[in-house]
Amino acid sequence: MKQLKCAVIGLGMGRHHVKAFHDHPNSTVVALVDLDEKRLQDIGDQHEIPNRYQSVDELFAGEQLDIVSIATPNSLHKPIALQAFEHGAHVFCEKPVALNAQEAEEMIAAAKKADRRLMINFSYRFNPTSWALKQQVESGAIGDVYAGRSRWLRRDGMPGFGGWFGKKSLAGGGPLIDLGVHRLDLALWLMEYPKPNYVLATSSNVLGKQKADAAQKEFDVEDFASAQITFENGASLQIEASWMGHIKEETMETTLLGNKGGLSQNNIDGTYDFRSFLYTDSHGSKLDIEIKGGTQGPLSGMHHFVDCIIEDRPHTATAAEGLLVMKLLDAIYLSAASGEPVKLN
Ligand SMILES: NC(=O)c1ccc[n+]([C@@H]2O[C@H](COP(=O)([O-])OP(=O)(O)OC[C@H]3O[C@@H](n4cnc5c(N)ncnc54)[C@H](O)[C@@H]3O)[C@@H](O)[C@H]2O)c1
């Protein structure tokens, strides 16, 4: 069986990429890249990966790769992906695709020119209960979806406070592009990616700014964002994301309402474990059915990407879906800044 040669660039979240590509029987991680020498050596030693680089240019000069996996700050997704396509590799890229839709379009054009794949790590699709919910939607259990709500709110949880996540030039935005992107993708995926029509949004940076000013750190992104999206098929979706706020605990929720039933996925008591339900009725009785995550879905986005390349079949979490998410995020930021609704397309 073919062994795909992978390199992982950026070893924060990227350490999970390393493990998954290394564990898959058809892929192996041959090289790592990080500016941080300690991370590079620790993760390289842990997985016995021979080739370690502190620059992306050295990586491409020294290796012949099938997959380049990008888990750097968001501002580097586009330039590294363009180099990887030039090199002839497929790209597995962390969410968000890039800083904005314009950059995502450039990445898609480069993938097309090189005839290579671009997959986005919308990792919450690969939670077993998400996969099971998708099967419920596809089986027609909830009928046509007319409304949804999807949110991820934290009480106090900005990643790397004072670092790149709080800088618009490096991150593209705050919790909306960091956390909201996952819940937005999950809801859109379950809704079968309907065409958006309008966005009306608001955002705030009061708490983040207070905290950053007190610590003399840079912070020029939102700490909370909320939006209403309408779609051409008549459906609507409410989306909310925050890194901090006076709430009981970290809350992740996606709810869909259809003409035959409803679905919900909620995290349990502030943890990263989920419970999912189908609500419907039958012969006049209300039914609440717990949807358990099975083993039917892929183990991770990384496993799925390798399987799809090896078996020459389409992958999920496509670049086109990533681009639509980016267009919505751009529209949300624009609407929040202007206070006006934004029409898409
Ligand atoms: N899918 C998920 O659930 C998930 C979770 C966390 C983060 N992410 C995404 O992963 C990406 C990285 O986030 P993170 O939390 O790991 O950030 P991080 O800051 O912890 O790690 C980023 C790493 O990239 C390295 N790096 C920076 N510039 C580099 C360069 N020029 N060349 C090589 N390495 C470089 C840094 O040294 C650091 O080790 C982001 O796009 C983020 O949105 C996704």
Side-chain angles (χ1 to χ4, degrees):
M1 271 296 243
K2 187 168 164 48
Q3 276 294 104
L4 300 176
K5 289 187 185 163
C6 312
V8 178
I9 306 174
L11 300 174
M13 175 62 193
R15 70 192 64 205
H16 301 290
H17 298 205
V18 176
K19 182 169 178 355
F21 285 122
H22 221 55
D23 285 351
H24 194 293
N26 298 118
S27 59
T28 183
V29 180
V30 294
L32 300 176
V33 187
D34 204 297
L35 299 179
D36 181 329
E37 202 171 348
K38 183 165 180 341
R39 275 191 168 174
L40 198 54
Q41 300 317 336
D42 287 352
I43 295 164
D45 290 352
Q46 190 185 341
H47 296 280
E48 298 179 0
I49 294 159
N51 302 336
R52 304 163 193 185
Y53 301 93
Q54 281 183 282
S55 109
V56 173
D57 289 344
E58 284 172 35
L59 169 79
F60 289 120
E63 304 289 336
Q64 196 52 53
L65 302 162
D66 298 301
I67 294 177
V68 170
S69 199
I70 305 175
T72 58
N74 304 342
S75 58
L76 295 173
H77 291 185
K78 182 192 92 170
I80 295 175
L82 298 195
Q83 271 185 281
F85 291 132
E86 278 278 318
H87 176 88
H90 299 291
V91 171
F92 183 82
C93 185
E94 262 308 335
K95 60 77 201 166
V97 186
L99 294 179
N100 51 49
Q102 165 68 38
E103 288 196 349
E105 274 170 355
E106 288 175 51
M107 290 163 71
I108 290 174
K112 201 169 169 198
K113 187 167 165 222
D115 192 22
R116 299 287 85 183
R117 292 174 186 246
L118 171 58
M119 177 172 162
I120 314 307
N121 192 24
F122 288 131
S123 46
Y124 284 79
R125 287 191 193 192
F126 297 94
N127 179 289
T129 75
S130 302
W131 212 261
L133 289 177
K134 181 70 173 165
Q135 289 184 330
Q136 290 296 324
V137 172
E138 285 174 351
S139 74
I142 63 169
D144 297 326
V145 176
Y146 58 86
R149 181 166 84 160
S150 208
R151 53 193 191 141
W152 187 339
L153 305 173
R154 285 185 176 156
R155 184 164 184 165
D156 186 6
M158 178 185 169
F161 179 70
W164 68 267
F165 278 96
K167 295 178 185 145
K168 193 166 169 49
S169 60
L170 301 180
L176 179 71
I177 203 167
D178 177 36
L179 308 178
V181 69
H182 281 300
R183 301 318 291 181
L184 181 55
D185 169 69
L186 186 66
L188 291 172
W189 180 56
L190 293 172
M191 294 169 84
E192 294 169 338
Y193 265 86
K195 270 186 136 181
N197 200 7
Y198 280 96
V199 164
L200 180 61
T202 181
S203 70
S204 162
N205 71 352
V206 174
L207 297 184
K209 197 93 186 65
Q210 268 173 21
K211 196 172 166 181
D213 287 350
Q216 295 189 314
K217 302 279 187 198
E218 251 186 77
F219 185 91
D220 65 355
V221 296
E222 84 284 359
D223 60 51
F224 168 88
S226 167
Q228 178 86 15
I229 304 167
T230 61
F231 299 93
E232 288 184 2
N233 66 4
S236 67
L237 177 66
Q238 267 181 291
I239 179 100
E240 266 185 344
S242 79
W243 278 331
M244 53 195 86
H246 301 296
I247 57 171
K248 181 168 176 266
E249 62 198 4
E250 184 159 3
T251 303
M252 288 178 253
E253 179 207 351
T254 298
T255 298
L256 294 185
L257 302 176
N259 63 340
K260 291 190 187 159
L263 288 178
S264 74
Q265 184 193 65
N266 292 75
N267 68 321
I268 305 167
D269 300 334
T271 69
Y272 280 43
D273 292 327
F274 290 92
R275 281 188 88 182
S276 297
F277 286 89
L278 165 66
Y279 302 103
T280 186
D281 41 37
S282 173
H283 307 293
S285 301
K286 307 273 180 231
L287 298 180
D288 300 0
I289 302 164
E290 182 160 9
I291 306 297
K292 296 275 188 189
T295 52
Q296 62 274 64
L299 280 176
S300 70
M302 292 66 91
H303 285 83
H304 174 74
F305 196 48
V306 172
D307 287 342
C308 291
I309 293 171
I310 293 284
E311 293 162 24
D312 195 21
R313 60 182 165 89
H315 60 262
T316 186
T318 62
E321 291 167 337
L323 173 61
L324 188 69
V325 167
M326 289 304 326
K327 285 183 176 173
L328 282 166
L329 297 180
D330 286 358
I332 292 171
Y333 284 126
L334 187 62
S335 173
S338 67
E340 302 280 336
V342 171
K343 172 104 175 97
L344 281 112
N345 297 321

